[in-house]
């Protein structure tokens, strides 16, 4: 179950049991139009599910996703998707965190944005920057710009634990300019049209 209450998992045991993302701050996190269309045609965003340890198996060269252990998300019709997206957009459990962010779209990511993501900060060890390329323990990042509000991404990168106290994404204590560059890189990435390898 996704959590609709105003509380993220506060122990590792709770974190491991989580089967869907916390939704009590869905309105702070997601773009409403994306939720509406995703619910009608849900595609996997976390290549190895909510908790990757349960869904990877050793491969010849590296770990691989064991797709047989993953389930598909329920699909809604257009009218239900619209209603659910509207309700979720009103759930703003972390409004204060969002209000303290200011997205600066004019900071170009340049080549440094990608370099920070792939190498300098090691984000790619957990996130895929295109289908099949990157780590398996985080969500795919090449669709994040379409899914998420820029303010959520800024705040989450600044402090993942402010949103999800037990999550394994590290807080890198990045300066604001670099956080803005990373977010603008993620937004630029989501404008490229990758054909999806993993559905
Ligand atoms: C050790 C693994 C790990 C590393 C390294 C890591 N992340 Fe994450 N990241 C995660 C996990 C796990 C989540 C939560 C995904 C979820 O909602 O299931 C996450 C979530 C995110 C989100 C929100 C995405 C979403 O789909 O909800 C963004 C944006 C993000 N990370 C960016 C970064 C950036 C930028 C870096 C490098 C500075 C980074 N991450 C490094 C594991 C990691």
């Amino acid at each position: 179950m996704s959590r609709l209450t105003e509380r993220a998992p506060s122990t590792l045991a709770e974190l491991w049991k989580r089967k869907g993302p916390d939704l009590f701050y869905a309105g702070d996190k997601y773009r409403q139009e994306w939720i509406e269309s995703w619910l009608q045609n849900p595609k996997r965003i976390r290549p190895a599910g909510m908790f990757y340890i349960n869904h990877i198996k050793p491969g010849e060269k590296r770990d691989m996703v064991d797709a047989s252990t993953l389930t598909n998300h329920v699909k809604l019709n257009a009218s239900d998707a619209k209603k659910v997206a509207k309700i979720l957009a009103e759930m703003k459990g972390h409004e204060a965190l969002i209000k303290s962010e200011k997205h600066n779209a004019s900071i170009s990511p340049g080549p440094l944005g990608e370099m920070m993501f792939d190498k300098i900060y090691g984000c790619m060890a957990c996130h895929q920057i295109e289908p099949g390329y990157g780590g398996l323990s985080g969500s795919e990042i090449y669709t994040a710009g379409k899914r998420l509000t820029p303010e959520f991404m800024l705040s989450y990168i600044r402090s993942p634990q402010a949103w999800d106290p037990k999550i394994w994404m590290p807080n890198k204590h990045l300066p604001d300019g670099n956080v803005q560059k990373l977010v603008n890189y993620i937004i630029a990435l989501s404008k490229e049209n990758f054909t999806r390898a993993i559905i």
Side-chain angles (χ1 to χ4, degrees):
M1 268 292 289
S2 293
R3 231 165 260 267
L4 290 166
T5 51
E6 306 258 326
R7 195 170 74 80
S10 56
T11 63
L12 285 176
E14 277 183 358
L15 185 76
W16 294 338
K17 273 196 241 141
R18 186 165 60 183
K19 297 226 162 54
D22 290 340
L23 292 175
F24 64 88
Y25 52 78
D28 299 316
K29 172 176 180 179
Y30 297 108
R31 294 173 182 272
Q32 188 177 342
E33 68 280 8
W34 175 81
I35 300 192
E36 191 179 326
S37 79
W38 188 84
L39 287 170
Q40 296 172 65
N41 187 17
K43 295 203 169 109
R44 189 163 294 131
I45 291 162
R46 299 167 180 84
M50 276 310 289
F51 187 47
Y52 66 103
I53 299 279
N54 295 333
H55 304 288
I56 52 173
K57 56 182 179 187
E60 255 175 48
K61 292 208 180 102
R62 47 169 291 177
D63 289 340
M64 290 168 56
V65 178
D66 184 358
S68 68
T69 64
L70 293 167
T71 48
N72 291 327
H73 197 275
V74 54
K75 210 173 185 162
L76 300 187
N77 64 36
S79 123
D80 286 350
K82 197 178 178 72
K83 283 185 213 140
V84 173
K86 187 163 180 291
I87 293 165
L88 289 173
E90 283 158 12
M91 299 179 64
K92 298 196 167 181
H94 275 319
E95 207 168 11
L97 286 175
I98 289 296
K99 286 212 163 127
S100 67
E101 292 294 345
K102 199 169 173 347
H103 177 222
N104 189 342
S106 69
I107 298 184
S108 155
L112 190 60
E114 175 161 17
M115 225 152 80
M116 287 194 295
F117 198 92
D118 297 1
K119 302 225 159 69
I120 303 174
Y121 298 133
C123 316
M124 210 179 91
C126 300
H127 293 284
Q128 295 194 345
I129 58 164
E130 55 183 88
Y133 188 55
L136 299 175
S137 69
S139 52
E140 60 185 30
I141 222 68
Y142 56 91
T143 56
K146 289 203 175 84
R147 293 186 277 114
L148 308 172
T149 64
E151 292 76 16
F152 169 78
M153 291 192 274
L154 290 166
S155 177
Y156 199 94
I157 294 168
R158 232 182 276 289
S159 175
Q161 287 71 31
W163 291 86
D164 199 359
K166 295 289 172 188
I167 200 67
W168 53 91
M169 172 163 156
N171 181 340
K172 302 262 185 186
H173 302 280
L174 305 179
D176 183 61
N178 288 0
V179 179
Q180 300 279 355
K181 268 205 168 86
L182 282 164
V183 167
N184 291 340
Y185 163 66
I186 293 170
I187 292 172
L189 196 60
S190 71
K191 292 185 180 144
E192 292 184 32
N193 272 327
F194 298 110
T195 31
R196 303 179 58 109
I198 305 165
I199 306 286

